[in-house]
Amino acid sequence: MLQHGAILTDWVRDDFPDLLWIALIMDQEGDDGARLISSLQHEWLEQTREAEYSAELDGRLSSLEKMPEAARNDFLSLLSRYDTGKLIPDVLRTAAAWYPEMPGRWAFARIGAPSAVDMDEMLDALVSALALCLQRRGKALTVTAPLGWLLINGRLHFQESQISILASYPTDPATRSMAEATLTSMYGATKALSAVEAGDESRVQSDWPSRFWNANWEITPCMSKDSPPAALGEGDVTSARESALEQVNDLWGDFMEIAFSDGVDLYRPARHEVVCELAVRSIRAVYAMAESPLLWGGEHGAAILRALVETEILITWLDYKNDLGLYEAFISYGQGKQKLMRAHVEEAMTEAGGVGDSKLSELASFLDERLGGQSAEMMMEVSVHPSFAGGSVNTRSMAEDVGLQDLYSRVFQPLSASVHGEWSALDNYVIDRCINPLHRFHRIPVQYLTPMLAEDTLAAAIRSLKRVLDAAAESLSSDDEANTP
Protein backbone atom coordinates (compact mmCIF):
# COMPACT_ATOMS: atom_id res chain seq x y z
CA MET A 1 0.00 0.00 0.00
CA LEU A 2 2.90 2.32 0.69
CA GLN A 3 4.22 1.66 -2.81
CA HIS A 4 0.86 2.83 -4.15
CA GLY A 5 1.16 6.11 -2.27
CA ALA A 6 -0.69 5.31 0.94
CA ILE A 7 -0.11 7.99 3.59
CA LEU A 8 0.50 6.97 7.19
CA THR A 9 -1.19 9.20 9.74
CA ASP A 10 -1.16 9.41 13.50
CA TRP A 11 -4.81 9.28 14.56
CA VAL A 12 -4.20 10.49 18.11
CA ARG A 13 -1.84 13.30 17.13
CA ASP A 14 -3.80 14.66 14.18
CA ASP A 15 -7.46 13.77 14.81
CA PHE A 16 -8.07 13.46 18.54
CA PRO A 17 -7.74 17.22 19.28
CA ASP A 18 -10.27 18.17 16.57
CA LEU A 19 -12.68 15.44 17.71
CA LEU A 20 -12.19 16.26 21.39
CA TRP A 21 -15.85 17.17 21.88
CA ILE A 22 -17.03 13.80 20.58
CA ALA A 23 -14.31 11.85 22.39
CA LEU A 24 -15.30 13.38 25.74
CA ILE A 25 -18.96 12.55 25.12
CA MET A 26 -18.12 8.95 24.18
CA ASP A 27 -15.94 8.57 27.25
CA GLN A 28 -18.68 9.94 29.48
CA GLU A 29 -21.76 8.38 27.86
CA GLY A 30 -20.36 5.29 26.13
CA ASP A 31 -22.53 3.76 23.39
CA ASP A 32 -25.37 6.12 24.25
CA GLY A 33 -23.12 9.01 23.27
CA ALA A 34 -23.01 7.79 19.67
CA ARG A 35 -26.81 7.65 19.51
CA LEU A 36 -27.07 11.09 21.14
CA ILE A 37 -24.76 12.70 18.58
CA SER A 38 -26.58 10.95 15.72
CA SER A 39 -29.92 12.35 16.94
CA LEU A 40 -28.44 15.84 17.20
CA GLN A 41 -27.04 15.62 13.66
CA HIS A 42 -30.35 14.48 12.16
CA GLU A 43 -32.27 17.30 13.87
CA TRP A 44 -29.66 19.86 12.83
CA LEU A 45 -29.87 18.73 9.23
CA GLU A 46 -33.67 19.08 9.24
CA GLN A 47 -33.50 22.46 10.95
CA THR A 48 -30.99 23.90 8.48
CA ARG A 49 -32.38 22.31 5.30
CA GLU A 50 -34.18 25.53 4.35
CA ALA A 51 -31.74 27.90 5.97
CA GLU A 52 -29.89 30.56 4.01
CA TYR A 53 -26.58 29.39 5.38
CA SER A 54 -24.64 26.14 5.15
CA ALA A 55 -23.27 24.70 8.39
CA GLU A 56 -21.86 21.25 8.88
CA LEU A 57 -22.10 19.32 12.12
CA ASP A 58 -19.61 16.49 11.72
CA GLY A 59 -18.44 16.65 15.33
CA ARG A 60 -15.14 18.35 14.63
CA LEU A 61 -14.31 21.47 16.59
CA SER A 62 -13.13 23.02 13.34
CA SER A 63 -16.60 22.56 11.82
CA LEU A 64 -18.11 24.50 14.75
CA GLU A 65 -15.54 27.23 14.23
CA LYS A 66 -16.61 27.61 10.59
CA MET A 67 -20.29 28.05 11.44
CA PRO A 68 -21.61 31.51 10.45
CA GLU A 69 -23.06 33.72 13.17
CA ALA A 70 -26.67 32.94 12.28
CA ALA A 71 -25.94 29.22 12.41
CA ARG A 72 -24.28 29.55 15.81
CA ASN A 73 -27.36 31.07 17.38
CA ASP A 74 -29.56 28.34 15.91
CA PHE A 75 -27.15 25.64 17.07
CA LEU A 76 -27.11 26.95 20.65
CA SER A 77 -30.90 27.03 20.55
CA LEU A 78 -30.94 23.39 19.43
CA LEU A 79 -28.51 22.37 22.17
CA SER A 80 -30.74 23.93 24.80
CA ARG A 81 -33.45 21.41 23.95
CA TYR A 82 -31.12 18.54 24.91
CA ASP A 83 -29.56 17.45 28.16
CA THR A 84 -26.59 19.79 27.96
CA GLY A 85 -24.84 17.92 30.75
CA LYS A 86 -24.50 14.99 28.36
CA LEU A 87 -23.80 16.94 25.17
CA ILE A 88 -21.54 19.57 26.75
CA PRO A 89 -19.51 17.89 29.51
CA ASP A 90 -18.29 20.28 32.19
CA VAL A 91 -14.71 19.28 31.47
CA LEU A 92 -15.16 20.55 27.90
CA ARG A 93 -16.12 23.96 29.22
CA THR A 94 -13.00 23.91 31.37
CA ALA A 95 -10.91 22.94 28.34
CA ALA A 96 -12.38 25.86 26.41
CA ALA A 97 -11.08 28.14 29.15
CA TRP A 98 -7.63 26.54 29.35
CA TYR A 99 -7.07 26.24 25.59
CA PRO A 100 -7.72 29.78 24.28
CA GLU A 101 -7.02 28.76 20.69
CA MET A 102 -9.45 25.83 20.70
CA PRO A 103 -11.83 26.03 17.73
CA GLY A 104 -15.56 26.22 18.51
CA ARG A 105 -15.05 27.70 22.00
CA TRP A 106 -18.14 29.84 21.48
CA ALA A 107 -20.33 26.74 21.84
CA PHE A 108 -18.82 25.80 25.21
CA ALA A 109 -18.50 29.18 26.92
CA ARG A 110 -18.61 29.32 30.72
CA ILE A 111 -18.89 32.15 33.18
CA GLY A 112 -15.86 32.69 35.38
CA ALA A 113 -12.47 31.06 35.49
CA PRO A 114 -12.28 27.35 36.31
CA SER A 115 -11.08 26.33 39.75
CA ALA A 116 -8.16 24.05 40.57
CA VAL A 117 -10.65 21.22 41.08
CA ASP A 118 -12.10 21.90 37.62
CA MET A 119 -8.58 21.76 36.22
CA ASP A 120 -7.86 18.39 37.83
CA GLU A 121 -11.16 16.98 36.59
CA MET A 122 -10.44 18.24 33.07
CA LEU A 123 -6.99 16.63 32.99
CA ASP A 124 -8.38 13.35 34.27
CA ALA A 125 -11.13 13.44 31.65
CA LEU A 126 -8.70 14.26 28.84
CA VAL A 127 -6.47 11.37 29.82
CA SER A 128 -9.47 9.03 30.06
CA ALA A 129 -10.80 10.12 26.65
CA LEU A 130 -7.36 9.79 25.14
CA ALA A 131 -6.97 6.29 26.57
CA LEU A 132 -10.36 5.39 25.08
CA CYS A 133 -9.36 6.69 21.64
CA LEU A 134 -6.16 4.67 21.73
CA GLN A 135 -8.39 1.60 21.61
CA ARG A 136 -10.24 0.56 18.47
CA ARG A 137 -13.60 0.74 20.27
CA GLY A 138 -13.03 4.35 21.34
CA LYS A 139 -11.80 5.41 17.93
CA ALA A 140 -14.74 3.71 16.20
CA LEU A 141 -17.28 5.39 18.50
CA THR A 142 -15.65 8.78 17.98
CA VAL A 143 -15.51 8.61 14.18
CA THR A 144 -19.21 7.73 13.95
CA ALA A 145 -19.83 11.49 14.16
CA PRO A 146 -17.96 12.59 10.99
CA LEU A 147 -18.98 9.43 9.14
CA GLY A 148 -22.60 9.83 10.24
CA TRP A 149 -22.71 13.37 8.89
CA LEU A 150 -21.42 12.23 5.51
CA LEU A 151 -23.96 9.43 5.51
CA ILE A 152 -27.07 11.48 6.27
CA ASN A 153 -25.99 14.05 3.68
CA GLY A 154 -25.76 11.39 0.98
CA ARG A 155 -22.02 11.80 0.58
CA LEU A 156 -21.15 8.34 1.86
CA HIS A 157 -22.50 5.07 0.51
CA PHE A 158 -22.26 1.56 1.92
CA GLN A 159 -22.34 -1.84 0.35
CA GLU A 160 -25.10 -4.17 1.48
CA SER A 161 -22.64 -6.35 3.37
CA GLN A 162 -21.37 -3.30 5.28
CA ILE A 163 -24.89 -2.19 6.15
CA SER A 164 -25.72 -5.58 7.65
CA ILE A 165 -22.68 -5.25 9.90
CA LEU A 166 -23.16 -1.61 10.88
CA ALA A 167 -26.95 -1.70 11.33
CA SER A 168 -26.69 -3.22 14.79
CA TYR A 169 -23.60 -1.30 15.91
CA PRO A 170 -22.76 -0.85 18.74
CA THR A 171 -25.25 -3.16 20.49
CA ASP A 172 -24.49 -6.51 18.82
CA PRO A 173 -21.33 -8.06 20.35
CA ALA A 174 -21.14 -10.64 17.54
CA THR A 175 -20.53 -8.02 14.84
CA ARG A 176 -19.01 -5.27 16.95
CA SER A 177 -15.36 -6.05 16.22
CA MET A 178 -15.91 -6.17 12.46
CA ALA A 179 -18.04 -3.03 12.56
CA GLU A 180 -15.32 -1.13 14.42
CA ALA A 181 -12.70 -2.23 11.89
CA THR A 182 -15.00 -1.07 9.08
CA LEU A 183 -15.62 2.32 10.69
CA THR A 184 -11.97 3.06 11.45
CA SER A 185 -10.77 2.11 7.99
CA MET A 186 -13.60 4.04 6.34
CA TYR A 187 -12.73 7.13 8.36
CA GLY A 188 -9.17 7.07 7.09
CA ALA A 189 -10.39 6.72 3.51
CA THR A 190 -12.78 9.67 3.77
CA LYS A 191 -10.42 11.96 5.67
CA ALA A 192 -8.27 12.82 2.67
CA LEU A 193 -11.35 13.51 0.52
CA SER A 194 -12.72 15.88 3.16
CA ALA A 195 -9.41 17.75 3.28
CA VAL A 196 -9.42 18.21 -0.50
CA GLU A 197 -12.99 19.54 -0.41
CA ALA A 198 -12.19 21.91 2.47
CA GLY A 199 -9.22 23.44 0.62
CA ASP A 200 -7.62 26.36 2.50
CA GLU A 201 -10.25 26.15 5.21
CA SER A 202 -8.65 22.92 6.44
CA ARG A 203 -5.89 25.08 7.89
CA VAL A 204 -8.09 25.73 10.93
CA GLN A 205 -8.11 22.00 11.65
CA SER A 206 -4.44 21.43 10.89
CA ASP A 207 -3.28 24.24 13.20
CA TRP A 208 -5.31 23.20 16.21
CA PRO A 209 -3.78 19.75 16.82
CA SER A 210 -0.26 21.15 17.05
CA ARG A 211 -1.47 23.99 19.29
CA PHE A 212 -3.32 21.53 21.52
CA TRP A 213 -0.34 19.26 22.07
CA ASN A 214 2.12 22.11 22.53
CA ALA A 215 -0.18 23.78 25.06
CA ASN A 216 -0.03 20.61 27.13
CA TRP A 217 3.66 21.25 27.72
CA GLU A 218 2.71 24.39 29.65
CA ILE A 219 -0.32 22.87 31.39
CA THR A 220 1.08 19.55 32.57
CA PRO A 221 4.61 18.36 33.49
CA CYS A 222 6.62 15.50 32.05
CA MET A 223 6.38 12.33 34.10
CA SER A 224 8.80 9.44 34.21
CA LYS A 225 8.67 6.10 35.95
CA ASP A 226 12.25 5.22 35.04
CA SER A 227 14.83 4.88 37.78
CA PRO A 228 18.62 4.51 37.86
CA PRO A 229 19.85 0.99 37.13
CA ALA A 230 20.79 -1.13 40.09
CA ALA A 231 24.44 -0.51 40.91
CA LEU A 232 26.86 -3.38 41.40
CA GLY A 233 27.90 -3.78 44.98
CA GLU A 234 31.42 -2.73 45.91
CA GLY A 235 32.31 -6.34 46.66
CA ASP A 236 30.98 -7.49 43.28
CA VAL A 237 32.97 -4.80 41.48
CA THR A 238 36.16 -5.68 43.30
CA SER A 239 35.75 -9.38 42.66
CA ALA A 240 34.96 -8.91 38.97
CA ARG A 241 37.89 -6.50 38.50
CA GLU A 242 40.40 -8.81 40.15
CA SER A 243 39.21 -11.80 38.14
CA ALA A 244 39.33 -9.87 34.86
CA LEU A 245 42.77 -8.41 35.54
CA GLU A 246 44.13 -11.84 36.38
CA GLN A 247 42.85 -13.20 33.06
CA VAL A 248 44.21 -10.22 31.10
CA ASN A 249 47.63 -10.54 32.73
CA ASP A 250 47.73 -14.23 31.88
CA LEU A 251 46.80 -13.50 28.28
CA TRP A 252 49.43 -10.78 28.15
CA GLY A 253 52.17 -13.11 29.38
CA ASP A 254 51.15 -15.88 27.00
CA PHE A 255 51.16 -13.56 24.01
CA MET A 256 54.49 -11.95 24.87
CA GLU A 257 56.01 -15.40 24.93
CA ILE A 258 54.59 -16.12 21.47
CA ALA A 259 55.69 -12.74 20.11
CA PHE A 260 59.33 -13.19 21.10
CA SER A 261 59.76 -16.97 21.09
CA ASP A 262 60.48 -17.38 17.39
CA GLY A 263 62.51 -15.51 14.87
CA VAL A 264 61.32 -12.46 12.99
CA ASP A 265 61.89 -11.78 9.32
CA LEU A 266 63.96 -8.64 9.75
CA TYR A 267 64.19 -8.23 6.00
CA ARG A 268 60.42 -7.69 5.76
CA PRO A 269 59.06 -7.57 9.34
CA ALA A 270 55.67 -6.00 8.51
CA ARG A 271 53.56 -9.06 9.34
CA HIS A 272 55.08 -9.46 12.80
CA GLU A 273 54.87 -5.72 13.48
CA VAL A 274 51.23 -5.33 12.44
CA VAL A 275 49.92 -8.48 14.15
CA CYS A 276 51.78 -7.86 17.40
CA GLU A 277 50.77 -4.22 17.64
CA LEU A 278 47.12 -5.01 16.93
CA ALA A 279 47.16 -7.74 19.56
CA VAL A 280 48.86 -5.59 22.19
CA ARG A 281 46.44 -2.74 21.53
CA SER A 282 43.58 -5.14 22.17
CA ILE A 283 45.10 -6.42 25.42
CA ARG A 284 45.65 -2.89 26.70
CA ALA A 285 42.09 -1.91 25.79
CA VAL A 286 40.59 -4.76 27.80
CA TYR A 287 42.99 -4.00 30.66
CA ALA A 288 41.73 -0.41 30.72
CA MET A 289 38.18 -1.71 30.63
CA ALA A 290 38.79 -4.05 33.55
CA GLU A 291 40.25 -1.18 35.58
CA SER A 292 37.29 1.12 34.76
CA PRO A 293 33.92 -0.31 35.88
CA LEU A 294 32.04 2.52 34.14
CA LEU A 295 33.07 0.84 30.88
CA TRP A 296 31.40 -2.41 31.86
CA GLY A 297 28.09 -1.40 30.34
CA GLY A 298 27.22 -1.77 26.68
CA GLU A 299 26.75 1.97 26.32
CA HIS A 300 30.41 2.90 26.84
CA GLY A 301 32.03 -0.49 26.48
CA ALA A 302 30.74 -0.76 22.91
CA ALA A 303 33.74 1.13 21.52
CA ILE A 304 36.17 -1.41 23.00
CA LEU A 305 34.07 -4.41 21.98
CA ARG A 306 33.75 -3.07 18.43
CA ALA A 307 37.52 -2.47 18.20
CA LEU A 308 38.15 -6.05 19.32
CA VAL A 309 35.78 -7.50 16.73
CA GLU A 310 37.24 -5.32 13.99
CA THR A 311 40.75 -6.40 14.97
CA GLU A 312 39.78 -10.07 14.90
CA ILE A 313 38.34 -9.67 11.40
CA LEU A 314 41.37 -7.70 10.19
CA ILE A 315 43.99 -10.14 11.51
CA THR A 316 42.06 -13.13 10.18
CA TRP A 317 41.63 -11.50 6.75
CA LEU A 318 45.31 -10.53 6.45
CA ASP A 319 46.35 -14.06 7.37
CA TYR A 320 43.84 -15.44 4.84
CA LYS A 321 45.28 -13.24 2.08
CA ASN A 322 48.83 -14.22 3.09
CA ASP A 323 50.22 -11.25 1.19
CA LEU A 324 53.14 -9.50 2.87
CA GLY A 325 52.45 -6.47 0.70
CA LEU A 326 49.12 -5.93 2.49
CA TYR A 327 50.84 -5.74 5.87
CA GLU A 328 53.24 -3.19 4.46
CA ALA A 329 50.36 -1.30 2.88
CA PHE A 330 48.63 -1.20 6.28
CA ILE A 331 51.68 0.50 7.79
CA SER A 332 52.16 2.88 4.86
CA TYR A 333 48.49 3.84 4.90
CA GLY A 334 48.68 4.81 8.59
CA GLN A 335 51.93 6.73 8.08
CA GLY A 336 50.28 8.63 5.24
CA LYS A 337 47.48 9.63 7.61
CA GLN A 338 50.08 10.91 10.08
CA LYS A 339 51.79 12.85 7.31
CA LEU A 340 48.48 14.45 6.41
CA MET A 341 47.90 15.33 10.05
CA ARG A 342 51.39 16.90 10.17
CA ALA A 343 50.43 19.08 7.22
CA HIS A 344 47.24 20.18 8.97
CA VAL A 345 49.18 21.06 12.10
CA GLU A 346 51.64 23.11 10.05
CA GLU A 347 48.73 24.92 8.42
CA ALA A 348 47.23 25.69 11.83
CA MET A 349 50.59 27.01 13.05
CA THR A 350 50.79 29.35 10.05
CA GLU A 351 47.27 30.64 10.68
CA ALA A 352 48.05 31.20 14.36
CA GLY A 353 50.95 33.46 13.38
CA GLY A 354 53.15 32.24 16.22
CA VAL A 355 50.62 33.24 18.90
CA GLY A 356 49.81 30.59 21.50
CA ASP A 357 51.04 27.78 19.27
CA SER A 358 53.37 26.01 21.72
CA LYS A 359 51.08 22.98 21.87
CA LEU A 360 50.97 22.85 18.08
CA SER A 361 54.76 23.02 17.95
CA GLU A 362 55.02 20.14 20.41
CA LEU A 363 52.57 18.11 18.34
CA ALA A 364 54.48 18.88 15.14
CA SER A 365 57.75 17.77 16.75
CA PHE A 366 56.14 14.57 17.98
CA LEU A 367 54.79 13.77 14.52
CA ASP A 368 58.16 14.52 12.95
CA GLU A 369 59.77 12.06 15.31
CA ARG A 370 57.19 9.35 14.60
CA LEU A 371 57.52 9.86 10.85
CA GLY A 372 61.32 9.68 10.93
CA GLY A 373 62.10 13.25 9.95
CA GLN A 374 61.54 15.26 6.81
CA SER A 375 63.63 13.01 4.60
CA ALA A 376 61.59 9.97 5.54
CA GLU A 377 58.34 11.92 5.32
CA MET A 378 59.07 12.94 1.73
CA MET A 379 58.95 9.29 0.68
CA MET A 380 55.55 8.66 2.26
CA GLU A 381 52.41 8.59 0.16
CA VAL A 382 49.07 9.95 1.40
CA SER A 383 46.34 7.62 0.18
CA VAL A 384 42.85 8.91 -0.65
CA HIS A 385 41.32 5.42 -0.51
CA PRO A 386 38.95 4.69 2.41
CA SER A 387 40.92 1.52 3.18
CA PHE A 388 44.57 0.56 3.17
CA ALA A 389 43.64 -2.38 0.90
CA GLY A 390 42.19 0.00 -1.70
CA GLY A 391 39.14 -0.45 -3.88
CA SER A 392 35.93 -1.45 -2.17
CA VAL A 393 37.57 -3.46 0.60
CA ASN A 394 36.07 -2.73 4.00
CA THR A 395 35.42 -4.56 7.26
CA ARG A 396 32.28 -6.16 5.89
CA SER A 397 33.94 -7.54 2.77
CA MET A 398 36.83 -8.80 4.88
CA ALA A 399 34.41 -10.64 7.17
CA GLU A 400 32.67 -12.20 4.17
CA ASP A 401 36.00 -13.36 2.73
CA VAL A 402 36.93 -15.27 5.87
CA GLY A 403 33.50 -16.60 6.85
CA LEU A 404 32.88 -14.16 9.70
CA GLN A 405 29.66 -12.67 8.29
CA ASP A 406 27.70 -13.57 11.41
CA LEU A 407 30.27 -11.88 13.64
CA TYR A 408 30.01 -8.76 11.51
CA SER A 409 26.20 -8.67 11.30
CA ARG A 410 25.35 -9.74 14.83
CA VAL A 411 28.14 -8.06 16.78
CA PHE A 412 30.17 -5.50 14.83
CA GLN A 413 27.24 -3.73 13.18
CA PRO A 414 25.14 -3.27 16.36
CA LEU A 415 28.22 -2.09 18.22
CA SER A 416 28.91 0.41 15.43
CA ALA A 417 25.48 1.91 16.01
CA SER A 418 26.47 2.64 19.60
CA VAL A 419 29.90 4.00 18.70
CA HIS A 420 28.45 6.33 16.06
CA GLY A 421 25.55 7.42 18.25
CA GLU A 422 22.85 6.07 15.95
CA TRP A 423 19.24 6.20 17.07
CA SER A 424 19.06 2.54 18.09
CA ALA A 425 21.88 3.07 20.60
CA LEU A 426 20.32 6.25 21.98
CA ASP A 427 17.00 4.41 22.32
CA ASN A 428 18.68 1.60 24.25
CA TYR A 429 20.62 3.67 26.74
CA VAL A 430 19.71 7.34 27.10
CA ILE A 431 16.02 7.61 26.18
CA ASP A 432 13.07 7.41 28.52
CA ARG A 433 9.35 7.79 27.83
CA CYS A 434 7.25 10.52 29.38
CA ILE A 435 4.25 8.61 30.73
CA ASN A 436 1.99 11.66 30.63
CA PRO A 437 -0.63 10.78 27.94
CA LEU A 438 -1.19 14.47 27.25
CA HIS A 439 2.44 14.66 26.14
CA ARG A 440 1.87 11.86 23.62
CA PHE A 441 4.37 9.67 25.50
CA HIS A 442 7.21 11.61 23.88
CA ARG A 443 10.81 10.62 24.38
CA ILE A 444 12.85 12.39 27.02
CA PRO A 445 16.45 11.98 28.26
CA VAL A 446 17.01 9.62 31.14
CA GLN A 447 17.25 11.58 34.37
CA TYR A 448 20.16 9.80 35.99
CA LEU A 449 23.87 10.02 35.26
CA THR A 450 25.12 6.56 36.16
CA PRO A 451 25.35 4.25 33.14
CA MET A 452 24.10 0.70 33.29
CA LEU A 453 26.86 -1.70 34.35
CA ALA A 454 27.03 -5.37 33.61
CA GLU A 455 29.74 -7.93 34.22
CA ASP A 456 28.54 -9.65 31.04
CA THR A 457 30.05 -6.86 28.94
CA LEU A 458 33.43 -7.29 30.59
CA ALA A 459 33.21 -11.06 30.14
CA ALA A 460 32.34 -10.57 26.47
CA ALA A 461 35.40 -8.33 26.04
CA ILE A 462 37.68 -11.01 27.50
CA ARG A 463 36.17 -13.68 25.24
CA SER A 464 36.65 -11.40 22.24
CA LEU A 465 40.23 -10.66 23.29
CA LYS A 466 40.95 -14.39 23.42
CA ARG A 467 39.71 -14.76 19.83
CA VAL A 468 41.90 -11.83 18.75
CA LEU A 469 44.96 -13.40 20.35
CA ASP A 470 44.17 -16.81 18.86
CA ALA A 471 43.99 -15.18 15.42
CA ALA A 472 47.23 -13.31 16.11
CA ALA A 473 48.99 -16.51 17.23
CA GLU A 474 47.76 -18.28 14.09
CA SER A 475 49.02 -15.45 11.89
CA LEU A 476 52.44 -15.38 13.59
CA SER A 477 52.62 -19.14 13.18
CA SER A 478 52.03 -18.70 9.46
CA ASP A 479 54.78 -16.11 9.40
CA ASP A 480 57.20 -18.56 11.07
CA GLU A 481 56.36 -21.23 8.53
CA ALA A 482 56.94 -18.79 5.69
CA ASN A 483 60.36 -17.94 7.11
CA THR A 484 61.41 -21.56 7.52
CA PRO A 485 64.26 -22.37 5.02
Side-chain angles (χ1 to χ4, degrees):
M1 291 185 69
L2 290 174
Q3 290 177 349
H4 285 287
I7 299 175
L8 297 178
T9 61
D10 187 330
W11 146 257
V12 170
R13 184 191 70 180
D14 299 328
D15 296 81
F16 173 78
D18 203 32
L19 286 166
L20 182 60
W21 173 33
I22 306 300
L24 288 171
I25 292 176
M26 298 306 170
D27 185 51
Q28 176 179 286
E29 304 298 329
D31 296 348
D32 290 339
R35 287 185 281 270
L36 188 61
I37 290 295
S38 178
S39 174
L40 181 70
Q41 288 177 320
H42 277 87
E43 192 165 347
W44 177 248
L45 182 64
E46 289 301 318
Q47 180 174 315
T48 59
R49 196 178 296 278
E50 304 299 330
E52 296 181 355
Y53 56 77
S54 174
E56 292 193 348
L57 183 59
D58 62 6
R60 293 183 173 93
L61 295 178
S62 54
S63 71
L64 296 178
E65 187 67 27
K66 290 183 286 187
M67 279 189 179
E69 197 65 35
R72 296 183 180 189
N73 293 331
D74 291 344
F75 180 68
L76 292 175
S77 177
L78 174 62
L79 283 178
S80 66
R81 300 200 294 270
Y82 281 80
D83 185 342
T84 54
K86 293 182 177 180
L87 274 179
I88 310 295
D90 287 341
V91 293
L92 183 60
R93 297 187 187 278
T94 305
W98 275 95
Y99 295 92
E101 296 178 320
M102 186 177 82
R105 292 176 71 245
W106 59 268
F108 317 120
R110 69 180 299 156
I111 299 175
S115 66
V117 174
D118 293 331
M119 177 67 169
D120 291 340
E121 291 178 350
M122 179 199 74
L123 294 177
D124 289 343
L126 288 177
V127 170
S128 179
L130 179 56
L132 176 67
C133 287
L134 286 170
Q135 306 169 30
R136 187 171 65 179
R137 172 179 174 270
K139 178 180 178 181
L141 283 172
T142 303
V143 301
T144 54
L147 291 176
W149 184 251
L150 292 175
L151 180 62
I152 65 178
N153 277 276
R155 295 159 59 190
L156 181 62
H157 302 279
F158 292 102
Q159 297 178 356
E160 184 177 347
S161 58
Q162 293 173 317
I163 294 175
S164 64
I165 295 172
L166 297 174
S168 58
Y169 182 77
T171 57
D172 184 2
T175 60
R176 183 161 192 157
S177 179
M178 187 173 295
E180 289 171 349
T182 301
L183 289 169
T184 54
S185 61
M186 191 173 296
Y187 174 77
T190 59
K191 180 183 175 182
L193 295 177
S194 299
V196 171
E197 292 177 1
D200 292 339
E201 295 180 359
S202 65
R203 182 180 59 81
V204 176
Q205 177 182 351
S206 63
D207 285 351
W208 162 238
S210 64
R211 294 179 185 276
F212 170 78
W213 293 114
N214 288 327
N216 291 335
W217 176 266
E218 303 295 334
I219 295 175
T220 61
C222 279
M223 297 186 297
S224 171
K225 65 177 181 180
D226 208 352
S227 58
L232 290 173
E234 184 176 345
D236 294 332
V237 171
T238 301
S239 176
R241 179 195 291 119
E242 291 177 352
S243 175
L245 289 175
E246 182 179 355
Q247 294 181 70
V248 172
N249 275 300
D250 288 343
L251 292 171
W252 166 265
D254 291 343
F255 183 75
M256 286 296 102
E257 184 176 348
I258 292 174
F260 292 100
S261 62
D262 296 310
V264 179
D265 181 1
L266 297 180
Y267 181 67
R268 299 183 70 180
R271 181 200 289 262
H272 189 273
E273 293 173 345
V274 170
V275 172
C276 285
E277 271 56 272
L278 287 173
V280 169
R281 172 178 178 264
S282 299
I283 297 172
R284 289 162 64 90
V286 178
Y287 179 85
M289 186 177 188
E291 285 281 26
S292 309
L294 289 179
L295 296 178
W296 293 3
E299 180 180 0
H300 302 295
I304 294 176
L305 289 173
R306 180 184 184 272
L308 292 169
V309 173
E310 185 175 24
T311 301
E312 178 184 354
I313 292 172
L314 175 59
I315 292 177
T316 305
W317 183 81
L318 285 170
D319 185 52
Y320 165 75
K321 288 296 184 179
N322 197 28
D323 182 352
L324 188 56
L326 286 172
Y327 292 93
E328 294 170 341
F330 181 86
I331 296 174
S332 299
Y333 183 81
Q335 289 176 326
K337 292 290 187 181
Q338 279 194 311
K339 178 179 178 179
L340 182 60
M341 182 179 178
R342 174 66 178 81
H344 290 321
V345 170
E346 186 175 347
E347 181 181 5
M349 292 171 61
T350 302
E351 292 175 354
V355 180
D357 60 350
S358 59
K359 293 295 183 182
L360 291 176
S361 297
E362 291 176 7
L363 178 57
S365 298
F366 172 78
L367 292 174
D368 282 338
E369 180 183 346
R370 304 308 297 174
L371 292 171
Q374 292 186 354
S375 58
E377 183 181 345
M378 291 177 58
M379 306 301 295
M380 295 178 185
E381 179 183 356
V382 176
S383 174
V384 296
H385 288 295
S387 167
F388 73 93
S392 58
V393 177
N394 53 32
T395 304
R396 178 173 184 170
S397 64
M398 290 180 184
E400 291 174 348
D401 284 346
V402 296
L404 294 177
Q405 301 96 319
D406 287 348
L407 181 65
Y408 178 89
S409 301
R410 299 173 186 175
V411 183
F412 180 84
Q413 209 164 33
L415 291 172
S416 295
S418 186
V419 171
H420 297 309
E422 295 177 5
W423 183 256
S424 59
L426 300 179
D427 199 21
N428 288 337
Y429 298 113
V430 298
I431 286 177
D432 189 13
R433 283 282 186 178
C434 171
I435 60 174
N436 182 350
L438 296 180
H439 283 201
R440 295 187 56 242
F441 305 105
H442 68 124
R443 300 176 180 91
I444 57 177
V446 294
Q447 298 176 60
Y448 52 84
L449 189 58
T450 307
M452 291 183 288
L453 306 184
E455 292 182 47
D456 292 344
T457 304
L458 180 59
I462 293 176
R463 290 195 300 271
S464 184
L465 174 60
K466 290 178 179 178
R467 293 197 302 271
V468 169
L469 297 182
D470 286 344
E474 177 67 25
S475 180
L476 293 178
S477 174
S478 299
D479 190 25
D480 294 339
E481 293 175 1
N483 296 331
T484 301

